Amino acid sequence: MLAVMLQEPRVTSQELAAMFSVSVRTVKRDIASLTAAGRIAYIGTAKTGHWQVLG
């Protein structure tokens, strides 16, 4: 997921779910874990923002 976010920072949860053949709920749970661990951050508004991979 991190590699996809690096390549395409504006990727959506729905697009990630389709890429990995999992539910949107699973993607959102994984994103929450990565955010809590300080690995990713969402910069900007929900409509025009993007993902930033932190480390």
Side-chain angles (χ1 to χ4, degrees), residues 11-55:
V11 68
T12 66
S13 300
Q14 291 83 8
E15 292 169 337
L16 287 169
M19 283 180 205
F20 295 110
S21 300
V22 297
S23 69
V24 174
R25 173 85 172 111
T26 298
V27 170
K28 289 184 178 188
R29 184 176 49 240
D30 292 346
I31 287 172
S33 293
L34 290 168
T35 301
R39 299 291 312 260
I40 60 173
Y42 194 77
I43 309 299
T45 66
K47 191 166 189 159
T48 61
H50 64 277
W51 292 106
Q52 182 174 14
V53 178
L54 302 174

